[in-house]
Amino acid sequence: MQSMIEFRQRIYQIVEKSEGHSGLSYGYDIFMSVCICLSLLPLFFRQQYPVFYYFDLFTVIVFILTISPIG
């Protein structure tokens, strides 16, 4: 039980805004920024290209996995 609590605390530390304490947290911030930009990219085009479907699918999966409770 204690290891699950420690695991959740570590996940929270990674997802929390990076304050320069963790390279992993900073990497997560950059990754999420890229995902947000990718999810906005299709809005700049009138026509729907197949690659945009995969951008949307990828970003939705990432967002769901990052906000879903673990355990």
Side-chain angles (χ1 to χ4, degrees):
M1 186 61 139
Q2 184 66 18
S3 63
M4 182 56 102
I5 293 171
E6 292 171 359
F7 178 71
R8 287 178 184 234
Q9 289 174 340
R10 181 63 182 141
I11 295 294
Y12 177 78
Q13 291 171 350
I14 291 170
V15 173
E16 187 179 33
K17 184 176 184 303
S18 175
E19 300 287 333
H21 302 294
S22 169
L24 189 57
S25 182
Y26 179 73
Y28 174 81
D29 291 343
I30 296 298
F31 176 73
M32 289 306 293
S33 298
V34 169
C35 284
I36 290 168
C37 291
L38 280 177
S39 70
L40 294 175
L41 186 63
L43 299 176
F44 293 102
F45 297 90
R46 289 181 187 243
Q47 187 175 355
Q48 180 69 20
Y49 296 101
V51 70
F52 294 152
Y53 171 78
Y54 295 108
F55 282 160
D56 286 340
L57 184 63
F58 175 75
T59 56
V60 165
I61 289 171
V62 167
F63 293 147
I64 288 172
L65 291 176
T66 58
I67 64 170
S68 66
I70 299 173

